[in-house]
């Protein structure tokens, strides 16, 4: 390539970089705020429904038109072959990509503005609050679900968590099944020590004519770690149905939205501890204050809500103190679907920014390759004519 052609490509790329910067700033300063984020925010700019996609079409078209005119007019008099043509092809491909990717810079600007309005630390605090309060936020029909609310979901206090064992007392058409619960404990020991202990235990159990299979049934899992063994087993019997220090709100361990990068199990346990302290170790006003923070969070994310913290606190304490009473409903009315969609979208914008929507990837690259082929063919055609003349 000649120096003039190289300079032309560099100037073109600089012009494209300036346009990209303009779209970045446009995305940054026109971001409508956290309240207006929804599932459609996650980015689709090729549908010609807004000023970004429409302007993108005209700006890209005008740039390519003038770029091709000046390229053919001023830089098509050389008889390029082999490696030089390959270099020119690569430059044209880069320019084609940059010409059709202004919307990506717009999204970068929008994301940058989002993170100035909502820091990752604040976002994680909001998640932790929702994770602690999640068992209070279900619709009333969900509280009758045995999958969502059961004793095995209780993680705190001791002797929880527990594991359930079902024993069939009477078989037949209408079998009678008895549920037993055992606390879950862990033993870590050297493999050699474990083998010796098991051998001695077997001998004692045989002398006492005890069914050792019942003992082995208690082992939930056994994991070998180098020269050590970790055994998780069902330990002492627990009777949660008679435990006055638990209620239905402790029987759910689901996280509303896990904090990125932290252990899910640790988050569940910490949320369970904080929830228990709110219900059993703190004053009633503490729970009301926490629900006030929840109400503020709803307004921050523009979630429609009718939640009144004092009323919700009264309802929670009612079912906490009357655990045998079926939970028919608590006054926790808010737009659950909107809250889930909002946090799902903001999560993606933070950790999985989708600058190129999957629905348009194929079309997008087909357009870029097609434009590149057209540019290259035009250049070759006019270069050949000039050389012939």
């Amino acid at each position: 390539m000649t120096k003039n052609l190289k300079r032309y490509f560099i100037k073109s790329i600089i012009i494209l970089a300036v346009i990209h910067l303009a779209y970045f700033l446009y995305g940054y300063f026109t971001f409508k705020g956290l309240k207006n984020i929804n599932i459609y925010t996650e980015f689709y700019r090729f549908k010609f429904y807004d000023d970004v996609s429409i302007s993108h079409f005209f700006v890209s078209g005008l740039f390519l038109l003038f770029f091709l005119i000046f390229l053919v007019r001023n830089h098509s008099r050389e008889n390029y072959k082999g490696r030089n043509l390959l270099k020119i092809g690569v430059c044209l491909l880069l320019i084609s990509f940059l010409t059709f990717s202004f919307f990506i810079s717009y999204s970068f600007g929008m994301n940058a503005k989002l993170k100035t309005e909502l820091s990752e630390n604040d976002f994680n605090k909001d998640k932790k609050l929702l994770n602690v309060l999640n068992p209070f936020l279900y619709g009333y029909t969900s509280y009758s679900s045995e999958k969502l609310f059961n004793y095995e979901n209780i993680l705190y206090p001791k002797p929880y968590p527990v594991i359930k064992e079902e024993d069939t007392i009477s078989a037949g058409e209408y079998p009678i099944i008895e549920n037993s619960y055992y606390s879950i404990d862990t033993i870590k020991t050297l493999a050699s020590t474990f083998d010796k202990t098991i051998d001695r235990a077997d001998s004692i159990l045989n002398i006492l004519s005890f069914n050792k299979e019942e003992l082995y049934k208690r082992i939930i899992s056994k994991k070998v770690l180098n020269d050590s063994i970790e055994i998780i087993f069902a330990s002492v019997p627990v009777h949660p149905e008679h435990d006055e220090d638990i209620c239905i709100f402790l029987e759910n361990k689901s996280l509303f939205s896990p904090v990125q990068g932290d252990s899910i199990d640790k988050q569940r346990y910490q949320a369970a501890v904080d929830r228990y302290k709110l219900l059993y170790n703190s004053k009633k006003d503490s729970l009301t204050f926490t629900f006030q923070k929840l109400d503020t969070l709803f307004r921050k994310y523009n979630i429609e809500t009718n939640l009144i913290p004092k009323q919700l606190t009264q309802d929670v304490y009612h079912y906490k103190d009357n655990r045998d009473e079926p939970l028919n409903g608590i006054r926790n009315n808010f737009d659950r679907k909107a809250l889930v969609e909002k946090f799902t979208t903001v999560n993606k914008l933070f950790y999985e920014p989708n600058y190129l929507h999957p629905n348009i990837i194929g079309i997008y690259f087909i357009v870029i390759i097609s434009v590149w082929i057209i540019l290259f063919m035009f250049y070759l055609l006019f270069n050949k004519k000039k050389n012939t003349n």
Side-chain angles (χ1 to χ4, degrees):
M1 285 192 293
T2 63
K3 288 184 178 179
N4 286 337
L5 183 56
K6 287 181 181 177
R7 288 195 191 112
Y8 181 68
F9 282 141
I10 292 172
K11 287 178 183 177
S12 299
I13 291 172
I14 291 173
I15 291 171
L16 287 170
V18 171
I19 298 173
H20 272 277
L21 177 61
Y23 270 92
F24 175 87
L25 294 174
Y26 185 56
Y28 186 90
F29 289 110
T30 59
F31 176 64
K32 294 179 180 179
L34 181 64
K35 289 186 175 182
N36 292 295
I37 287 178
N38 54 51
I39 56 174
Y40 302 106
T41 304
E42 197 212 346
F43 198 58
Y44 198 106
R45 291 290 167 192
F46 267 7
K47 277 197 152 183
F48 296 94
Y49 66 87
D50 61 7
D51 52 351
V52 176
S53 52
I54 294 172
S55 66
H56 196 310
F57 175 78
F58 286 107
V59 171
S60 299
L62 285 172
F63 174 83
L64 286 174
L65 177 62
F66 285 106
F67 171 79
L68 186 58
I69 290 172
F70 287 112
L71 176 67
V72 170
R73 182 178 177 182
N74 301 327
H75 303 284
S76 59
R77 300 183 181 182
E78 301 295 330
N79 189 21
Y80 294 119
K81 293 181 180 178
R83 178 180 288 183
N84 282 324
L85 281 179
L86 179 62
K87 289 180 180 179
I88 292 170
V90 171
C91 290
L92 291 175
L93 181 61
L94 176 61
I95 286 170
S96 298
F97 172 75
L98 292 174
T99 304
F100 286 96
S101 56
F102 300 140
F103 66 93
I104 295 178
S105 294
Y106 175 88
S107 290
F108 270 108
M110 187 182 68
N111 262 31
K113 182 63 173 179
L114 167 64
K115 291 177 181 178
T116 62
E117 184 174 318
L118 178 69
S119 69
E120 185 176 13
N121 186 48
D122 288 342
F123 187 41
N124 287 337
K125 285 181 180 178
D126 293 340
K127 287 183 182 180
K128 289 176 182 177
L129 177 64
L130 287 170
N131 289 338
V132 171
L133 299 182
N134 192 44
F136 306 111
L137 305 181
Y138 285 91
Y140 76 94
T141 56
S142 298
Y143 290 101
S144 59
S145 169
E146 292 184 2
K147 290 183 178 180
L148 288 174
F149 293 88
N150 60 65
Y151 295 136
E152 292 179 282
N153 284 332
I154 304 174
L155 302 178
Y156 184 87
K158 287 292 184 182
Y160 302 95
V162 296
I163 187 171
K164 180 172 76 171
E165 287 190 0
E166 294 183 349
D167 295 323
T168 303
I169 299 175
S170 175
E173 186 177 355
Y174 302 102
I176 299 175
I177 297 175
E178 183 181 76
N179 295 326
S180 301
Y181 295 90
Y182 298 90
S183 65
I184 299 173
D185 286 325
T186 303
I187 292 178
K188 291 182 180 178
T189 182
L190 293 173
S192 57
T193 304
F194 175 75
D195 292 336
K196 291 177 182 177
T197 304
I198 286 296
D199 289 340
R200 291 173 184 171
D202 284 349
S203 301
I204 295 170
L205 290 171
N206 288 331
I207 293 171
L208 297 175
S209 299
F210 188 80
N211 185 1
K212 62 183 178 182
E213 294 300 324
E214 291 297 322
L215 180 64
Y216 292 144
K217 278 184 186 178
R218 296 284 189 92
I219 296 177
I220 300 169
S221 68
K222 186 166 65 174
K223 186 190 298 182
V224 178
L225 303 169
N226 297 324
D227 58 347
S228 300
I229 290 178
E230 179 183 272
I231 300 170
I232 299 175
F233 66 100
S235 182
V236 297
V238 181
H239 303 283
E241 64 274 14
H242 303 303
D243 193 337
E244 295 182 356
D245 287 335
I246 64 168
C247 63
I248 189 170
F249 302 109
L250 302 181
E251 295 174 19
N252 178 280
K253 63 180 179 181
S254 300
L255 297 176
F256 178 83
S257 181
V259 173
Q260 191 79 4
D262 290 351
S263 166
I264 298 293
D265 289 337
K266 287 182 180 179
Q267 290 184 62
R268 284 175 175 165
Y269 180 76
Q270 188 58 51
V273 172
D274 294 342
R275 194 178 306 125
Y276 180 85
K277 288 179 178 179
L278 271 176
L279 287 169
Y280 291 94
N281 294 346
S282 303
K283 294 181 179 179
K284 200 172 183 178
D285 289 344
S286 297
L287 185 59
T288 302
F289 176 70
T290 307
F291 285 140
Q292 287 172 346
K293 290 169 65 176
L294 176 67
D295 188 55
T296 302
L297 183 149
F298 287 157
R299 300 182 191 284
K300 172 182 175 181
Y301 288 91
N302 197 29
I303 305 301
E304 186 178 343
T305 175
N306 296 316
L307 187 148
I308 299 175
K310 286 187 177 180
Q311 289 182 353
L312 183 54
T313 302
Q314 290 173 2
D315 293 344
V316 167
Y317 266 80
H318 174 78
Y319 288 106
K320 166 185 171 284
D321 298 332
N322 300 274
R323 52 185 305 240
D324 294 329
E325 182 179 333
L327 201 159
N328 294 319
I330 56 177
R331 287 169 283 186
N332 61 355
N333 298 317
F334 65 95
D335 192 338
R336 293 176 178 82
K337 182 180 178 183
L339 183 66
V340 171
E341 289 179 351
K342 180 80 71 170
F343 270 76
T344 299
T345 302
V346 176
N347 251 322
K348 287 184 178 180
L349 291 173
F350 260 91
Y351 305 111
E352 302 173 24
N354 205 4
Y355 299 114
L356 188 58
H357 198 282
N359 290 343
I360 67 169
I361 287 177
I363 298 173
Y364 178 70
F365 284 108
I366 287 173
V367 170
I368 290 176
I369 297 299
S370 299
V371 171
W372 171 66
I373 291 173
I374 292 170
L375 289 175
F376 202 27
M377 294 304 293
F378 260 93
Y379 181 76
L380 291 176
L381 179 63
F382 279 90
N383 189 59
K384 184 177 181 181
K385 284 187 176 181
K386 293 243 178 177
N387 284 314
T388 302
N389 294 336

